[in-house]
Amino acid sequence: MSTSPRRLLAGVLTLTAALLAAACSGGGAGEGQGGNSTLTMMVPLFGTAPNPSGEIQQAVEKLTGKKLQITWVPNADYPDKTNVTLASDKIPDVMVIQDNKGPSFVKAAEAGAFWDLTDKLDKYPNLKPRNEQVRLNSSTNGKNYGIYRIRPLLRSAVLLRKDWLDKLGLELPKTTDDLYNVAKAFTEKDPDGNGKKDTYGLIIPKWPTPIFNSSNPFNAIDVWFGAPNGYGLRDGKLVPEFDTPEFMEANRYLKKMVDEGLVNRDFATLDTAKWNDPFVQGKGGIIIDVNVRATQLYSLLKEQDPDGYAKKLAMTGNLSRPDGKKFSLPFTGFNGIVTISKQNIRTEAQLDDVLKALDRLASKEGARLVNNGIEGRNYKVEDGYAVRINDTDPAVKTINNDVDYAFIQLGTTSSVGVAGDAYELRPASEAERENLKLRKELEELDLQTAVHDPALPYISPTLTAKGATLHPIVTDARVKYLAGEITEEQLKAEVKRWYDSGGTQVVTELGALVAKAGN
């Protein structure tokens, strides 16, 4: 289901008129100086919708002091449902927005549908931005129309088959040259010891468009070689990642690996849902992705080899380029925002009342509730970790499901301990606990060389209007270049076509906004 730009604009205009009428009349829900006793919400769902009378919802309501009417929307349907909701005159009081750079949200926000919280959060100790870079990243044209949902600011990593490294006497890679050498050895030196040449190095899946400024192997390698992360400033001018010498150098490097068979042959078509399969099946030995993928791989390897799985996985962080200089690929530091509608929350006093409720939800007590559940009921604390209680009680299983697949999405703190507010779930083995410790160490180390995108907070009207046409141009051309279907000169020609098709205007618009903000 999709919503046309004309309908979205009509909806925004309708909503704006409704807001103005409500402001003039002073009527409707939430009138007066006090706040609502009930909050309506819209939140993404990854499983079965919780019972409104369930234990977790009751606990959340008690903590916040609000009765909650939550519309749980399956995650796959959330983008369409968001567009439809934003085009209507029935926006809930509190709403999770997954894409606050998308056209439907930008139009609604700039038309006055949501509270601008840019200068309003500092007096709420659990809501005030904890990182200025993330606050900036999560803004929409420089304004924060919501509370960002915290995620690690840096989580890119390289995961490798440890048993293959050990078999061949290889060290963890530190540079891109090291990675090439490991991939070559994994391909040519029989790391699984079966006497057959049936293994390869790097596993790359087909990546959805656009692939720039995203946590994926292509973007990581670009940044490692010194290219911008999405957009960057060169000689005072904003340029896209793919219009730099370093981008071309990174792709020559990757093409060499493809040409020599060090990468899976189906890299242009491999479904990301099957990305783990070659690694677990012993066909490919390297994955470049987010570090939390280690948790998935441990789980899959454990099913296959309960006794020896911990010896099959190793991890390192971002790699230096051949000259020793290091540039690391960061994440945005957030995953969507929690917004407050002006439709019913009309006055500063009512806004304060809602923010106080959300502040209680973002406290240590609230973070542990929405990330872990109810202490003593479905989990206990051991050595600073949340350990799930092994209980056959169906009610306890319901609590776990309500947390894992629903209420965790309402929280603005992180389930992986970024904010220090939520207990992390205790890893199953010593190896996994060591991996978690390593993950945090690598995050802190690589943050020192992180390459941030200065254009990330800003919206280009041209890119919003023409993105469906512009995004695939260079994305598709790179894959064709790596596959040997076009030459490097033809790849550069596609970059020029991107500019000629509207990219020049995109860079002009974003460059002006970046320059104005002084970023």
Side-chain angles (χ1 to χ4, degrees):
M1 180 177 181
S2 62
T3 305
S4 69
R6 181 177 296 178
R7 182 182 173 191
L8 284 172
L9 181 58
V12 169
L13 293 174
T14 300
L15 175 59
T16 304
L19 289 169
L20 290 172
C24 292
S25 68
E31 68 178 298
Q33 294 302 308
N36 292 342
S37 60
T38 299
L39 286 179
T40 59
M41 294 181 167
M42 181 170 137
V43 185
L45 176 70
F46 287 80
T48 303
N51 185 330
S53 301
E55 291 182 70
I56 290 295
Q57 179 151 337
Q58 295 300 307
V60 170
E61 290 180 342
K62 181 179 180 181
L63 179 66
T64 60
K66 300 290 182 183
K67 182 70 176 175
L68 305 180
Q69 293 181 0
I70 306 176
T71 299
W72 297 102
V73 180
N75 189 62
D77 301 329
Y78 206 82
D80 282 342
K81 180 65 173 178
T82 296
N83 286 341
V84 170
T85 301
L86 293 177
S88 73
D89 60 354
K90 294 182 180 179
I91 297 180
D93 301 332
V94 175
M95 181 177 179
V96 172
I97 296 292
Q98 293 177 321
D99 181 12
N100 63 312
K101 317 288 184 178
S104 59
F105 176 74
V106 173
K107 289 175 183 176
E110 293 187 342
F114 297 95
W115 281 93
D116 178 359
L117 303 178
T118 308
D119 300 317
K120 297 185 181 297
L121 297 179
D122 283 348
K123 70 176 183 178
Y124 305 95
N126 303 306
L127 299 181
K128 63 182 180 181
R130 306 183 188 211
N131 183 287
E132 178 58 21
Q133 182 65 53
V134 181
R135 186 205 66 77
L136 191 62
N137 289 349
S138 64
S139 66
T140 302
N141 279 339
K143 293 185 177 181
N144 292 96
Y145 290 104
I147 305 149
Y148 66 77
R149 302 193 300 170
I150 295 174
R151 295 297 182 270
L153 186 54
L154 198 146
R155 56 180 190 170
S156 47
V158 184
L159 301 109
L160 306 98
R161 284 290 298 236
K162 185 178 185 303
D163 51 339
W164 290 10
L165 290 171
D166 294 342
K167 173 77 162 39
L168 301 177
L170 298 172
E171 300 291 331
L172 283 170
K174 296 181 180 179
T175 70
T176 53
D177 281 351
D178 292 342
L179 184 70
Y180 167 82
N181 291 330
V182 170
K184 194 172 184 66
F186 280 3
T187 305
E188 299 178 353
K189 295 189 176 181
D190 191 24
D192 59 357
N194 68 353
K196 301 177 182 178
K197 192 175 181 180
D198 57 358
T199 58
Y200 56 87
L202 182 60
I203 308 166
I204 296 180
K206 178 182 180 181
W207 207 266
T209 299
I211 60 176
F212 302 103
N213 198 333
S214 174
S215 296
N216 66 71
F218 300 106
N219 195 212
I221 293 173
D222 290 350
V223 170
W224 292 348
F225 273 86
N229 173 23
Y231 291 88
L233 291 171
R234 296 292 171 90
D235 299 322
K237 179 183 178 183
L238 192 73
V239 297
E241 175 179 336
F242 46 79
D243 188 21
T244 61
E246 294 87 353
F247 170 80
M248 292 298 172
E249 185 179 1
N251 281 279
R252 291 186 204 111
Y253 166 86
L254 192 51
K255 187 176 189 308
K256 180 181 179 182
M257 295 179 72
V258 172
D259 290 345
E260 294 181 7
L262 313 187
V263 178
N264 52 302
R265 294 179 180 177
D266 62 345
F267 74 92
T269 59
L270 178 65
D271 189 341
T272 52
K274 298 181 180 179
W275 196 357
N276 291 328
D277 294 354
F279 191 96
V280 175
Q281 294 165 2
K283 296 177 181 178
I286 306 167
I287 289 177
I288 301 171
D289 191 34
V290 292
N291 53 25
V292 292
R293 180 167 289 273
T295 301
Q296 295 181 18
L297 291 172
Y298 268 129
S299 178
L300 294 169
L301 290 168
K302 189 174 183 179
E303 291 178 8
Q304 179 192 77
D305 184 3
D307 297 323
Y309 75 98
K311 298 178 180 179
K312 293 184 177 181
L313 179 64
M315 184 177 74
T316 190
N318 287 261
L319 305 181
S320 301
R321 67 186 186 187
D323 65 1
K325 292 184 179 180
K326 186 174 182 181
F327 307 93
S328 299
L329 175 68
F331 187 55
T332 60
F334 77 103
N335 181 19
I337 61 176
V338 176
T339 64
I340 301 174
S341 164
K342 282 188 171 182
Q343 190 167 23
N344 291 328
I345 314 302
R346 299 172 189 157
T347 68
E348 293 280 351
Q350 292 160 0
L351 174 64
D352 176 67
D353 182 65
V354 174
L355 287 173
K356 284 178 178 176
L358 294 178
D359 188 67
R360 290 190 288 271
L361 189 62
S363 67
K364 286 188 177 182
E365 183 182 359
R368 291 168 182 175
L369 178 61
V370 297
N371 284 288
N372 300 313
I374 303 170
E375 185 175 351
R377 184 76 175 99
N378 70 304
Y379 80 93
K380 58 184 177 180
V381 179
E382 290 183 359
D383 300 325
Y385 288 100
V387 180
R388 289 281 168 84
I389 294 173
N390 186 15
D391 196 321
T392 57
D393 183 354
V396 171
K397 294 180 180 179
T398 296
I399 294 174
N400 290 338
N401 288 334
D402 287 356
V403 167
D404 294 343
Y405 302 114
F407 277 93
I408 195 171
Q409 296 297 317
L410 185 55
T412 52
T413 51
S414 174
S415 61
V416 291
V418 163
D421 295 330
Y423 293 115
E424 293 170 287
L425 287 175
R426 183 181 180 90
S429 69
E430 182 63 30
E432 291 171 76
R433 288 193 285 276
E434 287 299 313
N435 181 272
L436 179 59
K437 179 181 176 182
L438 173 63
R439 192 172 84 200
K440 292 184 177 181
E441 292 173 353
L442 292 173
E443 287 174 3
E444 289 299 318
L445 176 66
D446 287 354
L447 267 175
Q448 299 173 26
T449 53
V451 179
H452 299 289
D453 180 358
L456 189 59
Y458 308 108
I459 311 298
S460 159
T462 299
L463 191 60
T464 297
K466 297 184 176 182
T469 300
L470 287 172
H471 286 315
I473 293 176
V474 183
T475 298
D476 293 350
R478 168 156 56 183
V479 172
K480 291 178 180 178
Y481 167 73
L482 295 175
E485 297 175 11
I486 64 173
T487 65
E488 184 174 313
E489 289 306 310
Q490 288 173 312
L491 173 58
K492 292 178 179 178
E494 288 299 280
V495 173
K496 182 179 183 302
R497 185 164 74 89
W498 181 86
Y499 277 109
D500 293 343
S501 302
T504 298
Q505 187 64 24
V506 170
V507 173
T508 299
E509 291 167 357
L510 290 176
L513 290 167
V514 170
K516 182 179 179 181
N519 294 336

